[in-house]
């Protein structure tokens, strides 16, 4: 029994755990691909894992992008075939940008995650636990929906008919119709299809969960400010005593400190994800309009392939919505701090404390935001604008085709 427990403890030591289920799953799955380093790794193990991660990256994504760009050049001018090749090519480019962001911004992203984990694990208030559970449930639901979409799309893509010999249009630097080139191309495309979807939804949920963690921290700050006078009775004059003022001051300083660190974390997330989100939005517009074009114009596409394209279209739309929703929720959470300050019994406080609360309210008027490239603020309004732009490009493609 002791031996079994020892092996179990060793296994659990290499299992990355987090307060949020979405991060727990994605941290572990990305670590198996060599993109996340575990604390238990030695220096030699870190080098081996990093080399392994780069090999996976080069084989699955760089090589895939190369053969698809080569095919795009080869079929240049045929709008139907170009639209078909562009479907997966632009997704590959989006995944590459996310992986590179994760690799080069790894230390800062893990610092944000660890800081959020410390805050969430130290939360012992019942209301605070409910806030954490609510956001955790939300990200888990996103994970489930996104996983279902990827599995649905990949499954029907494999079953559908294709205009090329393989599942994906590609031009290899060898004869892929003869052995062993045929076997190599077939294995490469199968792995590329499966792992592109695998990395796509894992990294998206990973980044979305990081943003959700910052939002959770801001909500906990709002809770602290709302309950700044909890367990402190109001005397007959409706004013606090000097002892109560000292206690409230300590609580207020703690809340201010948490607010500052939460805003710093949100700012770091914005800088880490800004460029990759710009790539993602651009790619999503291309994917949405080309997929819709394929479904509307290509009458020879079979039913199974149309189901796959419909899943692909919904997945791309959901991907944009995921980050726009997180950006909107992050802004709302930071703005809600001003409301939380107003909801506390500020009228019982002394003038210095009232001035401090006023400063917090003024700071909350400049909310934390999530941007794409530093000039597009991600929110629900922007999501609608992106969908309208995708439809506009789709109509242009239709007119060119006709």
């Amino acid at each position: 029994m002791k031996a079994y427990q020892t092996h179990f403890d060793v296994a659990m030591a290499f299992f990355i755990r987090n307060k949020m289920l979405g991060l727990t799953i994605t941290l572990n799955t990305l670590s198996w691909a060599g993109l996340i380093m575990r604390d238990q790794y030695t220096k030699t193990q870190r080098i081996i894992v990093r080399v392994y991660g780069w090999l996976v990256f080069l084989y699955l994504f760089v090589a895939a992008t190369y053969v698809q760009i080569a095919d795009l050049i080869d079929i240049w001018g045929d709008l139907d075939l170009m639209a078909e090749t562009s479907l997966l090519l632009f997704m590959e480019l989006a995944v590459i940008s996310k992986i590179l962001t994760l690799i080069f911004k790894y230390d800062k992203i893990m610092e944000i995650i660890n800081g959020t984990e410390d805050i969430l694990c130290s939360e012992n208030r019942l209301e605070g636990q409910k806030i954490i559970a609510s956001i955790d449930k939300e990200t888990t639901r996103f994970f489930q929906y996104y996983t279902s979409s990827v599995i649905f799309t990949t499954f029907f893509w494999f079953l559908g008919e294709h205009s090329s010999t393989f599942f994906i249009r590609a031009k290899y630097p060898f004869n892929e119709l003869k052995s062993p080139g045929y076997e190599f191309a077939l294995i490469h495309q199968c792995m590329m299809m499966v792992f592109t979807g695998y990395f796509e939804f894992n990294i998206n949920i990973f980044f979305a969960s990081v943003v959700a963690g910052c939002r959770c921290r801001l909500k906990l700050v709002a809770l602290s400010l709302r309950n700044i006078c909890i367990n402190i009775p109001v005397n007959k004059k409706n004013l606090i005593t000097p002892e109560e003022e000292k206690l409230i001051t300590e609580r207020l300083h703690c809340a201010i400190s948490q607010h500052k660190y939460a805003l710093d974390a949100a700012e770091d997330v914005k800088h880490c994800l800004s460029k990759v989100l710009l790539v993602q939005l651009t790619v999503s517009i291309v994917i949405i309009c080309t997929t819709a074009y394929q479904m509307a114009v290509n009458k020879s596409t079979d039913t199974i392939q149309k189901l796959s394209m419909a899943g692909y279209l919904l997945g791309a739309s959901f991907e944009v919505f995921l980050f726009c929703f997180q950006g909107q929720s992050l802004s709302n959470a930071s703005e809600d701090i001003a409301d939380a300050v107003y909801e506390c019994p500020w009228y019982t406080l002394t003038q210095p404390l009232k001035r401090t609360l006023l400063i917090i309210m003024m700071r909350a008027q400049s909310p934390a935001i999530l941007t794409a490239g530093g000039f597009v603020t991600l929110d629900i309004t922007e999501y609608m604008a992106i969908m309208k732009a995708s439809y506009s490009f789709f109509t242009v493609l239709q007119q060119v085709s006709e």
Side-chain angles (χ1 to χ4, degrees):
M1 184 65 182
K2 290 183 178 179
Y4 173 79
Q5 185 65 34
T6 301
H7 290 305
F8 177 78
D9 292 339
V10 172
M12 290 305 293
F14 279 88
F15 184 78
I16 303 175
R17 285 167 287 186
N18 193 275
K19 192 73 173 177
M20 301 180 67
L21 181 59
L23 276 176
T24 297
I25 296 174
T26 54
L27 280 170
N28 283 279
T29 53
L30 292 175
S31 71
W32 298 335
L35 298 178
I36 298 291
M37 293 293 177
R38 298 175 184 266
D39 295 335
Q40 298 87 347
Y41 287 164
T42 63
K43 184 177 181 180
T44 302
Q45 289 174 327
R46 286 176 176 270
I47 294 175
I48 294 173
V49 171
R50 183 59 71 195
V51 171
Y52 161 71
W54 276 108
L55 290 175
V56 170
F57 174 69
L58 291 173
Y59 176 73
L60 291 178
F61 299 107
V62 176
T65 303
Y66 167 78
V67 297
Q68 288 182 290
I69 290 177
D71 180 68
L72 192 63
I73 295 173
D74 188 55
I75 61 174
W76 192 264
D78 190 326
L79 194 59
D80 292 342
L81 294 181
M82 288 175 62
E84 182 180 344
T85 302
S86 300
L87 289 180
L88 198 63
L89 172 61
F90 282 93
M91 178 183 280
E92 295 282 353
L93 294 175
V95 176
I96 287 174
S97 67
K98 292 168 189 172
I99 292 177
L100 291 177
T101 298
L102 182 57
I103 292 174
F104 293 114
K105 302 285 187 178
Y106 175 79
D107 292 335
K108 178 57 69 174
I109 292 174
M110 291 308 298
E111 180 183 333
I112 297 169
I113 292 174
N114 293 332
T116 300
E117 178 70 1
D118 292 340
I119 296 294
L120 301 189
C121 288
S122 62
E123 180 60 45
N124 51 19
R125 295 170 295 182
L126 180 60
E127 290 177 302
Q129 293 290 342
K130 289 181 179 179
I131 290 173
I132 297 172
S134 174
I135 293 182
D136 183 33
K137 183 178 180 180
E138 172 195 292
T139 54
T140 303
R141 190 178 296 114
F142 277 132
F143 181 88
Q144 293 170 341
Y145 291 160
Y146 207 171
T147 303
S148 301
S149 173
V150 170
I151 293 175
F152 176 88
T153 304
T154 305
F155 176 76
F156 282 104
W157 188 283
F158 278 121
L159 292 181
E161 296 180 359
H162 305 278
S163 62
S164 61
T165 306
F166 301 104
F167 303 108
I168 304 164
R169 292 199 56 83
K171 186 175 180 59
Y172 289 89
F174 52 80
N175 188 352
E176 67 272 14
L177 301 180
K178 293 183 179 180
S179 183
Y182 178 83
E183 289 79 6
F184 175 86
L186 181 62
I187 294 173
H188 179 254
Q189 292 212 0
C190 289
M191 293 183 67
M192 181 173 62
M193 279 294 300
V194 172
F195 284 99
T196 295
Y198 167 84
F199 279 101
E200 176 73 1
F201 82 82
N202 268 286
I203 295 181
N204 282 338
I205 297 299
F206 174 77
F207 285 152
S209 298
V210 173
V211 179
C214 294
R215 176 158 55 96
C216 189
R217 292 174 65 171
L218 288 169
K219 283 183 172 291
L220 293 177
V221 172
L223 177 63
S224 298
L225 291 170
R226 193 175 290 110
N227 297 333
I228 200 74
C229 295
I230 192 170
N231 298 328
I232 297 179
V234 179
N235 60 26
K236 294 181 180 179
K237 295 182 180 180
N238 205 35
L239 296 173
I240 59 174
T241 64
E243 292 76 14
E244 292 169 346
E245 180 183 4
K246 182 178 180 181
L247 178 59
I248 293 174
T249 301
E250 292 176 356
R251 292 178 179 177
L252 192 56
H253 286 171
C254 182
I256 291 172
S257 178
Q258 292 178 353
H259 188 204
K260 178 183 180 303
Y261 290 133
L263 290 175
D264 289 344
E267 189 70 15
D268 289 338
V269 169
K270 184 181 74 172
H271 288 307
C272 288
L273 303 185
S274 180
K275 294 179 181 178
V276 72
L277 288 178
L278 178 61
V279 174
Q280 179 61 61
L281 294 188
T282 305
V283 165
S284 295
I285 291 174
V286 175
I287 289 176
I288 291 171
C289 70
T290 52
T291 306
Y293 171 81
Q294 283 286 96
M295 294 178 64
V297 176
N298 197 342
K299 305 299 183 180
S300 61
T301 303
D302 64 337
T303 303
I304 294 178
Q305 191 68 11
K306 284 187 176 180
L307 286 174
S308 175
M309 289 183 184
Y312 201 69
L313 179 63
L314 290 175
S317 303
F318 180 79
E319 192 172 7
V320 177
F321 174 77
L322 176 65
F323 289 107
C324 289
F325 174 82
Q326 293 296 340
Q328 180 74 65
S329 300
L330 181 65
S331 298
N332 292 344
S334 60
E335 289 176 337
D336 287 346
I337 288 179
D339 296 334
V341 171
Y342 188 76
E343 290 173 12
C344 79
W346 52 268
Y347 44 84
T348 66
L349 304 183
T350 59
Q351 289 300 322
L353 291 177
K354 288 180 181 178
R355 282 195 292 269
T356 303
L357 291 177
L358 182 60
I359 292 173
I360 296 174
M361 294 181 70
M362 292 174 63
R363 176 62 185 87
Q365 300 306 312
S366 299
I369 58 174
L370 200 61
T371 65
F375 56 87
V376 177
T377 301
L378 296 184
D379 51 26
I380 299 302
T381 302
E382 186 60 31
Y383 172 72
M384 298 305 298
I386 292 170
M387 298 306 293
K388 289 179 180 178
S390 300
Y391 179 76
S392 299
F393 287 126
F394 163 68
T395 55
V396 171
L397 279 177
Q398 271 191 317
Q399 292 174 359
V400 171
S401 175
E402 294 172 357

